[in-house]
Short mmCIF file of all heavy atoms in Angstrom, two decimals:
data_model
loop_
_atom_site.label_atom_id
_atom_site.label_comp_id
_atom_site.label_asym_id
_atom_site.label_seq_id
_atom_site.Cartn_x
_atom_site.Cartn_y
_atom_site.Cartn_z
N GLY A 887 190.21 58.30 -58.98
CA GLY A 887 190.00 58.55 -57.56
C GLY A 887 189.77 57.30 -56.73
O GLY A 887 189.70 57.38 -55.51
N VAL A 888 189.62 56.16 -57.39
CA VAL A 888 189.44 54.90 -56.66
C VAL A 888 190.81 54.28 -56.45
O VAL A 888 191.54 54.03 -57.40
CB VAL A 888 188.50 53.94 -57.42
CG1 VAL A 888 188.44 52.60 -56.72
CG2 VAL A 888 187.11 54.54 -57.55
N ASP A 889 191.14 54.02 -55.21
CA ASP A 889 192.45 53.45 -54.87
C ASP A 889 192.36 51.92 -54.91
O ASP A 889 191.61 51.33 -54.13
CB ASP A 889 192.85 53.92 -53.47
CG ASP A 889 194.24 53.49 -53.07
OD1 ASP A 889 194.86 52.64 -53.77
OD2 ASP A 889 194.73 53.99 -52.05
N PRO A 890 193.12 51.28 -55.80
CA PRO A 890 193.09 49.81 -55.86
C PRO A 890 193.44 49.13 -54.54
O PRO A 890 193.00 48.01 -54.28
CB PRO A 890 194.13 49.48 -56.93
CG PRO A 890 194.24 50.70 -57.76
CD PRO A 890 193.99 51.84 -56.82
N GLU A 891 194.19 49.81 -53.70
CA GLU A 891 194.56 49.24 -52.40
C GLU A 891 193.32 48.98 -51.53
O GLU A 891 193.36 48.13 -50.65
CB GLU A 891 195.52 50.17 -51.65
CG GLU A 891 196.84 50.38 -52.35
CD GLU A 891 197.87 49.32 -52.05
OE1 GLU A 891 197.69 48.54 -51.10
OE2 GLU A 891 198.87 49.28 -52.78
N TRP A 892 192.22 49.70 -51.78
CA TRP A 892 191.00 49.49 -50.99
C TRP A 892 190.49 48.05 -51.15
O TRP A 892 189.85 47.52 -50.26
CB TRP A 892 189.89 50.42 -51.44
CG TRP A 892 190.13 51.88 -51.20
CD1 TRP A 892 191.06 52.45 -50.37
CD2 TRP A 892 189.43 52.96 -51.81
NE1 TRP A 892 190.97 53.82 -50.44
CE2 TRP A 892 189.98 54.16 -51.32
CE3 TRP A 892 188.39 53.03 -52.73
CZ2 TRP A 892 189.51 55.41 -51.70
CZ3 TRP A 892 187.93 54.28 -53.11
CH2 TRP A 892 188.48 55.45 -52.61
N PHE A 893 190.76 47.45 -52.31
CA PHE A 893 190.24 46.12 -52.61
C PHE A 893 191.14 45.00 -52.09
O PHE A 893 190.75 43.83 -52.11
CB PHE A 893 190.04 45.98 -54.12
CG PHE A 893 189.02 46.96 -54.63
CD1 PHE A 893 189.40 48.24 -54.99
CD2 PHE A 893 187.69 46.62 -54.72
CE1 PHE A 893 188.46 49.17 -55.43
CE2 PHE A 893 186.74 47.52 -55.15
CZ PHE A 893 187.13 48.81 -55.51
N PHE A 894 192.34 45.36 -51.66
CA PHE A 894 193.31 44.41 -51.11
C PHE A 894 193.93 45.01 -49.85
O PHE A 894 195.13 45.24 -49.78
CB PHE A 894 194.40 44.11 -52.15
CG PHE A 894 193.87 43.49 -53.41
CD1 PHE A 894 193.48 44.30 -54.47
CD2 PHE A 894 193.72 42.12 -53.52
CE1 PHE A 894 192.96 43.74 -55.62
CE2 PHE A 894 193.21 41.56 -54.67
CZ PHE A 894 192.82 42.37 -55.72
N PRO A 895 193.11 45.26 -48.82
CA PRO A 895 193.63 45.94 -47.64
C PRO A 895 194.48 45.03 -46.78
O PRO A 895 194.39 43.81 -46.87
CB PRO A 895 192.35 46.32 -46.88
CG PRO A 895 191.40 45.23 -47.23
CD PRO A 895 191.70 44.90 -48.68
N VAL A 896 195.30 45.66 -45.97
CA VAL A 896 195.99 44.92 -44.92
C VAL A 896 194.95 44.79 -43.82
O VAL A 896 194.47 45.78 -43.31
CB VAL A 896 197.24 45.69 -44.43
CG1 VAL A 896 197.87 44.96 -43.27
CG2 VAL A 896 198.22 45.88 -45.57
N GLY A 897 194.56 43.59 -43.51
CA GLY A 897 193.45 43.38 -42.57
C GLY A 897 192.17 43.10 -43.34
O GLY A 897 192.20 42.70 -44.50
N ASP A 898 191.06 43.36 -42.71
CA ASP A 898 189.76 43.02 -43.31
C ASP A 898 188.85 44.21 -43.50
O ASP A 898 187.63 44.04 -43.57
CB ASP A 898 189.04 41.98 -42.43
CG ASP A 898 189.74 40.65 -42.43
OD1 ASP A 898 190.35 40.29 -43.45
OD2 ASP A 898 189.69 39.96 -41.40
N ASP A 899 189.37 45.42 -43.59
CA ASP A 899 188.52 46.60 -43.75
C ASP A 899 188.27 46.87 -45.23
O ASP A 899 189.04 47.53 -45.90
CB ASP A 899 189.13 47.83 -43.09
CG ASP A 899 188.22 49.04 -43.18
OD1 ASP A 899 187.05 48.90 -43.61
OD2 ASP A 899 188.67 50.13 -42.81
N TYR A 900 187.17 46.32 -45.74
CA TYR A 900 186.79 46.50 -47.14
C TYR A 900 185.74 47.58 -47.31
O TYR A 900 185.11 47.67 -48.36
CB TYR A 900 186.21 45.18 -47.68
CG TYR A 900 187.21 44.06 -47.81
CD1 TYR A 900 187.24 43.04 -46.87
CD2 TYR A 900 188.09 44.01 -48.87
CE1 TYR A 900 188.14 41.99 -46.99
CE2 TYR A 900 188.99 42.97 -49.00
CZ TYR A 900 189.01 41.96 -48.06
OH TYR A 900 189.90 40.92 -48.19
N SER A 901 185.53 48.42 -46.30
CA SER A 901 184.41 49.36 -46.32
C SER A 901 184.44 50.31 -47.53
O SER A 901 183.41 50.52 -48.17
CB SER A 901 184.32 50.15 -45.01
OG SER A 901 185.53 50.83 -44.75
N ASP A 902 185.60 50.88 -47.85
CA ASP A 902 185.68 51.79 -49.01
C ASP A 902 185.43 51.03 -50.31
O ASP A 902 184.73 51.52 -51.20
CB ASP A 902 187.04 52.49 -49.06
CG ASP A 902 187.19 53.52 -47.96
OD1 ASP A 902 186.18 54.15 -47.56
OD2 ASP A 902 188.32 53.71 -47.48
N ALA A 903 185.99 49.85 -50.41
CA ALA A 903 185.80 49.05 -51.63
C ALA A 903 184.34 48.63 -51.80
O ALA A 903 183.81 48.65 -52.91
CB ALA A 903 186.70 47.82 -51.59
N ARG A 904 183.68 48.28 -50.72
CA ARG A 904 182.26 47.88 -50.81
C ARG A 904 181.40 49.02 -51.33
O ARG A 904 180.45 48.80 -52.08
CB ARG A 904 181.75 47.40 -49.45
CG ARG A 904 182.29 46.05 -49.07
CD ARG A 904 181.63 45.54 -47.79
NE ARG A 904 182.39 44.48 -47.18
CZ ARG A 904 182.39 43.21 -47.59
NH1 ARG A 904 181.67 42.86 -48.62
NH2 ARG A 904 183.11 42.31 -46.96
N LYS A 905 181.71 50.25 -50.92
CA LYS A 905 180.97 51.42 -51.42
C LYS A 905 181.12 51.54 -52.93
O LYS A 905 180.16 51.86 -53.64
CB LYS A 905 181.46 52.70 -50.74
CG LYS A 905 181.10 52.79 -49.28
CD LYS A 905 181.72 54.02 -48.66
CE LYS A 905 181.61 53.99 -47.15
NZ LYS A 905 182.37 55.08 -46.52
N VAL A 906 182.32 51.29 -53.43
CA VAL A 906 182.57 51.35 -54.86
C VAL A 906 181.80 50.24 -55.57
O VAL A 906 181.12 50.48 -56.58
CB VAL A 906 184.08 51.24 -55.16
CG1 VAL A 906 184.34 51.15 -56.66
CG2 VAL A 906 184.83 52.42 -54.55
N CYS A 907 181.86 49.03 -55.04
CA CYS A 907 181.17 47.89 -55.67
C CYS A 907 179.65 48.12 -55.74
O CYS A 907 179.02 47.75 -56.74
CB CYS A 907 181.46 46.61 -54.90
SG CYS A 907 183.15 46.01 -55.09
N ARG A 908 179.09 48.71 -54.72
CA ARG A 908 177.63 48.91 -54.69
C ARG A 908 177.14 49.77 -55.84
O ARG A 908 176.00 49.65 -56.26
CB ARG A 908 177.19 49.51 -53.36
CG ARG A 908 177.04 48.48 -52.27
CD ARG A 908 176.27 49.01 -51.08
NE ARG A 908 176.96 50.06 -50.36
CZ ARG A 908 177.80 49.86 -49.35
NH1 ARG A 908 178.04 48.64 -48.94
NH2 ARG A 908 178.39 50.86 -48.75
N ARG A 909 177.98 50.66 -56.37
CA ARG A 909 177.55 51.53 -57.48
C ARG A 909 178.09 51.07 -58.84
O ARG A 909 177.95 51.76 -59.83
CB ARG A 909 177.95 52.97 -57.20
CG ARG A 909 179.44 53.21 -57.09
CD ARG A 909 179.69 54.69 -56.80
NE ARG A 909 181.06 54.95 -56.42
CZ ARG A 909 182.09 55.04 -57.25
NH1 ARG A 909 181.91 54.90 -58.54
NH2 ARG A 909 183.31 55.28 -56.80
N CYS A 910 178.67 49.89 -58.86
CA CYS A 910 179.30 49.39 -60.09
C CYS A 910 178.28 48.71 -61.01
O CYS A 910 177.47 47.89 -60.56
CB CYS A 910 180.40 48.40 -59.73
SG CYS A 910 181.32 47.84 -61.18
N PRO A 911 178.37 48.99 -62.32
CA PRO A 911 177.43 48.38 -63.26
C PRO A 911 177.69 46.89 -63.51
O PRO A 911 176.83 46.21 -64.07
CB PRO A 911 177.63 49.18 -64.55
CG PRO A 911 179.02 49.72 -64.46
CD PRO A 911 179.26 49.95 -62.99
N VAL A 912 178.84 46.38 -63.09
CA VAL A 912 179.14 44.96 -63.31
C VAL A 912 179.37 44.22 -62.00
O VAL A 912 180.02 43.18 -61.97
CB VAL A 912 180.36 44.77 -64.27
CG1 VAL A 912 180.04 45.29 -65.65
CG2 VAL A 912 181.61 45.44 -63.70
N GLU A 913 178.78 44.72 -60.93
CA GLU A 913 179.02 44.14 -59.61
C GLU A 913 178.71 42.64 -59.57
O GLU A 913 179.54 41.84 -59.13
CB GLU A 913 178.18 44.85 -58.55
CG GLU A 913 178.34 44.27 -57.17
CD GLU A 913 177.46 44.93 -56.14
OE1 GLU A 913 176.51 45.65 -56.49
OE2 GLU A 913 177.73 44.71 -54.94
N GLU A 914 177.56 42.24 -60.01
CA GLU A 914 177.18 40.82 -59.92
C GLU A 914 178.05 39.95 -60.83
O GLU A 914 178.49 38.87 -60.43
CB GLU A 914 175.70 40.63 -60.26
CG GLU A 914 175.18 39.27 -59.87
CD GLU A 914 175.32 38.95 -58.38
OE1 GLU A 914 175.15 39.85 -57.54
OE2 GLU A 914 175.60 37.77 -58.05
N GLY A 915 178.35 40.42 -62.03
CA GLY A 915 179.22 39.67 -62.93
C GLY A 915 180.62 39.52 -62.36
O GLY A 915 181.25 38.46 -62.50
N CYS A 916 181.10 40.55 -61.71
CA CYS A 916 182.42 40.52 -61.08
C CYS A 916 182.45 39.49 -59.96
O CYS A 916 183.38 38.69 -59.85
CB CYS A 916 182.74 41.91 -60.56
SG CYS A 916 184.38 42.10 -59.82
N ALA A 917 181.42 39.51 -59.12
CA ALA A 917 181.35 38.54 -58.02
C ALA A 917 181.29 37.12 -58.56
O ALA A 917 182.02 36.24 -58.09
CB ALA A 917 180.13 38.83 -57.15
N ASP A 918 180.45 36.89 -59.55
CA ASP A 918 180.33 35.54 -60.13
C ASP A 918 181.65 35.09 -60.74
O ASP A 918 182.05 33.94 -60.58
CB ASP A 918 179.23 35.51 -61.19
CG ASP A 918 177.84 35.66 -60.59
OD1 ASP A 918 177.69 35.57 -59.36
OD2 ASP A 918 176.90 35.88 -61.37
N TRP A 919 182.33 35.99 -61.44
CA TRP A 919 183.62 35.67 -62.06
C TRP A 919 184.63 35.25 -60.99
O TRP A 919 185.33 34.24 -61.14
CB TRP A 919 184.13 36.87 -62.86
CG TRP A 919 185.51 36.69 -63.39
CD1 TRP A 919 185.87 36.05 -64.53
CD2 TRP A 919 186.73 37.13 -62.77
NE1 TRP A 919 187.25 36.08 -64.67
CE2 TRP A 919 187.78 36.74 -63.60
CE3 TRP A 919 187.01 37.84 -61.61
CZ2 TRP A 919 189.11 37.02 -63.31
CZ3 TRP A 919 188.34 38.11 -61.31
CH2 TRP A 919 189.36 37.70 -62.16
N ALA A 920 184.70 36.02 -59.90
CA ALA A 920 185.66 35.72 -58.84
C ALA A 920 185.36 34.38 -58.17
O ALA A 920 186.27 33.64 -57.81
CB ALA A 920 185.66 36.85 -57.80
N VAL A 921 184.09 34.06 -58.04
CA VAL A 921 183.71 32.77 -57.46
C VAL A 921 184.08 31.64 -58.42
O VAL A 921 184.71 30.65 -58.02
CB VAL A 921 182.19 32.73 -57.14
CG1 VAL A 921 181.75 31.32 -56.76
CG2 VAL A 921 181.87 33.72 -56.02
#
Side-chain angles (χ1 to χ4, degrees):
V888 174
D889 185 349
E891 297 275 345
W892 294 344
F893 298 86
F894 299 90
V896 175
D898 292 328
D899 183 8
Y900 292 103
S901 57
D902 289 327
R904 287 186 198 282
K905 290 175 191 172
V906 174
C907 289
R908 278 195 293 271
R909 63 181 168 79
C910 185
V912 295
E913 178 183 15
E914 194 58 37
C916 183
D918 291 348
W919 173 84
V921 170

